């Protein structure tokens, strides 16, 4: 004997089957009414929506060392690329192909010469296949031996990457239409020993081997929030001035602009009321040397004692709006999968995704 709930459910299904085209019209009307009602019920804002520079690129941080690993396989990464695409991301950048002994692809050179661990899967191939599938451009991040962090001398990175660049281009470059450029992964903030020569050598080799594909760097500004990730301090007393920043980076740009096409300064090391001053200088320098001016809009929060959680949306909004005011060419982020993805291990990341999409009028 059917209970009352089962009977009513059956009757409802039968009624919907009998209702012909008019029912579809009613359904569409009701969906439209619900959408209008949802829009009317949305939280009102006191600042304009969509005034910032949209994020159209993200780093992929598979070799993590200061944020937790999410242990995703290809199914999870495929889903994440779909979330990225929906948000408007067209560029993915593998932040590094290896860090110290952990690597993303089975490199004969790095396993044999540097004792690196053989990876369980070929993550580099997976990323490029997913970029091919989702119609994105993939940028390859060079190997980071860790020796620069130990010695302060960037020239160490040139020797290993001589082999990595050739190996990767020969093995992957011609096979994937998504291979769109190179990320020179050494991170510096100021005049650093060997920086100009190292950036130039690696940038030139990347271009020579790939027929001129573009290259970029993503340094950090030595601002008040440029403190050690492992320490408890959130700020420091000594910070670079806008004038010092322009002087030092003009010298670096002068030495590398012929082989480095874009610079994406990390935006999290300066305070929010300093954004316009530094961003204006960054754009002026890039224009002077014929380089693209990008922003690395960090989607994690540097203002909290717990490192690192997804950033408060208001802070990300301030940074993206400053980038648009300065006339920046592109916004990328570090990094979508941990700090903005709906499937991140951090629940707050999905909420940040929703607030971002609401701000730019993106349907999710």
């Amino acid at each position: 004997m059917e209970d009352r709930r089962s009977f009513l459910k059956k009757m409802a299904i039968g009624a919907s089957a009998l209702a012909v085209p008019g029912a579809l019209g009613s359904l569409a009307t009701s969906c439209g009414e619900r959408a209008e009602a949802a829009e009317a019920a949305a939280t009102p804002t006191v600042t304009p929506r969509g005034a910032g520079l949209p994020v159209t690129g993200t780093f992929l941080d598979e070799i993590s060392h200061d944020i937790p690993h999410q242990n995703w396989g290809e199914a999870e990464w495929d889903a994440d690329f779909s979330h990225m695409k929906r948000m408007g991301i067209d560029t993915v950048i593998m932040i590094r192909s290896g860090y110290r002994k952990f690597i993303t692809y089975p490199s004969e050179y790095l396993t044999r010469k540097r004792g690196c661990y053989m990876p369980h899967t070929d993550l580099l191939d997976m990323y490029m296949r997913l970029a091919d599938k989702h119609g994105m451009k993939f940028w390859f991040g060079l190997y980071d031996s860790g020796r620069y962090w130990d010695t302060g001398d960037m020239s160490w990175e040139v020797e290993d990457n001589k082999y990595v660049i050739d190996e990767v281009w020969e093995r992957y470059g011609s096979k994937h239409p998504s291979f769109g450029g190179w990320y020179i992964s050494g991170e510096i903030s100021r005049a650093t020993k060997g920086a100009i020569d190292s950036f130039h050598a690696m940038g030139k080799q990347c271009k020579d081997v790939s027929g001129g594909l573009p290259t970029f760097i993503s340094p950090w500004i030595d601002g008040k929030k440029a403190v050690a990730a492992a320490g408890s301090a959130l700020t420091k007393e000594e910070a670079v001035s806008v004038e010092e920043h322009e002087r030092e980076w003009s010298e670096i740009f002068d030495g590398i602009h012929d082989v480095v096409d874009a610079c994406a300064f990390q935006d999290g090391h300066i305070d929010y009321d300093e954004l316009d001053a530094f961003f204006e200088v960054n754009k002026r320098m890039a224009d002077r040397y014929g380089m693209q001016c990008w922003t690395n809009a960090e989607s994690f929060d540097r203002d909290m004692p717990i490192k690192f959680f997804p950033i408060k949306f208001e802070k990300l909004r301030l940074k993206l709006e400053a980038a648009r005011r300065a006339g920046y060419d592109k916004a990328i982020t570090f990094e979508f999968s941990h700090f903005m993805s709906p499937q991140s291990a951090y629940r707050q990341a999905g909420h940040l995704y929703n607030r971002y999409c609401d701000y730019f009028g993106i349907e999710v």
Side-chain angles (χ1 to χ4, degrees):
M1 179 179 291
E2 292 181 324
D3 62 20
R4 184 172 180 273
R5 181 175 295 175
S6 299
F7 175 78
L8 291 174
K9 184 177 180 181
K10 182 183 292 185
M11 291 297 290
I13 293 171
S16 66
L18 291 172
V20 276
L24 298 177
S26 298
L27 178 61
T29 301
S30 104
C31 287
E33 289 171 348
R34 284 199 299 271
E36 289 176 6
E39 183 177 350
T43 304
T45 64
V46 294
T47 59
R49 296 183 189 271
L53 185 65
V55 173
T56 55
T58 182
F59 284 106
L60 305 171
D61 188 18
E62 179 58 26
I63 302 297
S64 305
H65 70 281
D66 56 5
I67 53 177
H69 205 284
Q70 300 196 106
N71 293 306
W72 288 353
E74 186 158 343
E76 291 90 349
W77 278 111
D78 193 7
D80 222 47
F81 272 58
S82 294
H83 293 309
M84 295 175 197
K85 187 78 171 180
R86 187 175 300 114
M87 196 184 94
I89 287 175
D90 57 23
T91 304
V92 290
I93 308 122
M94 189 168 69
I95 195 166
R96 56 185 73 85
S97 52
Y99 178 64
R100 298 189 187 267
K101 289 194 174 184
F102 286 95
I103 55 178
T104 57
Y105 74 101
S107 167
E108 180 183 348
Y109 170 79
L110 292 174
T111 53
R112 178 171 48 86
K113 290 291 188 182
R114 296 298 176 216
C116 292
Y117 309 129
M118 181 64 70
H120 177 58
T121 57
D122 189 338
L123 298 168
L124 175 54
D125 178 69
M126 179 195 73
Y127 283 144
M128 283 196 281
R129 284 189 289 103
L130 290 176
D132 293 343
K133 174 182 176 180
H134 292 275
M136 298 178 180
K137 285 299 180 185
F138 173 88
W139 294 56
F140 175 81
L142 303 188
Y143 174 66
D144 183 347
S145 72
R147 286 182 288 179
Y148 158 66
W149 301 108
D150 296 334
T151 66
D153 185 350
M154 268 197 70
S155 61
W156 286 107
E157 306 309 313
V158 176
E159 184 64 23
D160 287 334
N161 280 296
K162 282 180 183 177
Y163 300 93
V164 168
I165 293 166
D166 285 346
E167 184 178 58
V168 164
W169 181 253
E170 181 179 352
R171 189 181 301 181
Y172 302 93
S174 60
K175 297 178 182 177
H176 294 280
S178 60
F179 199 115
W182 307 84
Y183 170 54
I184 305 172
S185 58
E187 295 179 26
I188 66 172
S189 65
R190 305 182 69 165
T192 300
K193 185 178 179 181
I196 294 175
D197 290 342
S198 299
F199 278 147
H200 196 280
M202 291 185 284
K204 185 176 187 306
Q205 185 179 350
C206 287
K207 283 185 163 295
D208 287 348
V209 77
S210 64
L213 285 182
T215 66
F216 87 99
I217 59 175
S218 186
W220 42 286
I221 299 169
D222 194 21
K224 62 187 295 185
K225 292 190 277 186
V227 296
S232 59
L234 297 179
T235 60
K236 64 182 183 179
E237 290 296 325
E238 295 183 5
V240 70
S241 69
V242 176
E243 294 76 19
E244 289 173 313
H245 175 74
E246 182 170 19
R247 183 172 63 254
E248 293 174 352
W249 276 97
S250 291
E251 181 181 352
I252 295 171
F253 281 6
D254 186 61
I256 65 173
H257 69 277
D258 59 323
V259 294
V260 175
D261 298 281
C263 179
F265 279 105
Q266 301 167 27
D267 69 2
H269 295 96
I270 54 177
D271 219 340
Y272 303 100
D273 56 8
E274 298 178 300
L275 290 168
D276 286 303
F278 278 96
F279 281 15
E280 181 184 343
V281 162
N282 293 342
K283 185 66 167 70
R284 183 164 67 239
M285 288 190 295
D287 288 348
R288 185 187 307 145
Y289 290 100
M291 298 169 67
Q292 289 266 304
C293 188
W294 298 1
T295 187
N296 180 354
E298 293 179 342
S299 41
F300 64 94
D301 203 331
R302 291 188 180 272
D303 302 328
M304 297 179 63
I306 303 173
K307 303 171 183 176
F308 295 102
F309 280 163
I311 199 169
K312 180 181 179 180
F313 170 71
E314 288 295 327
K315 296 177 180 179
L316 180 62
R317 177 183 68 83
L318 288 172
K319 298 191 294 183
L320 294 177
E321 289 176 357
R324 169 157 282 180
R325 285 194 298 271
Y328 274 28
D329 299 297
K330 188 177 183 70
I332 63 175
T333 188
F334 183 87
E335 66 54 83
F336 178 87
S337 298
H338 279 88
F339 304 116
M340 292 191 76
S341 171
Q343 64 174 7
S344 167
Y346 296 117
R347 188 174 182 182
Q348 307 97 317
H351 298 317
L352 179 58
Y353 182 83
N354 291 337
R355 298 294 74 72
Y356 176 93
C357 290
D358 178 53
Y359 174 72
F360 281 107
I362 300 167
E363 185 176 348
V364 294

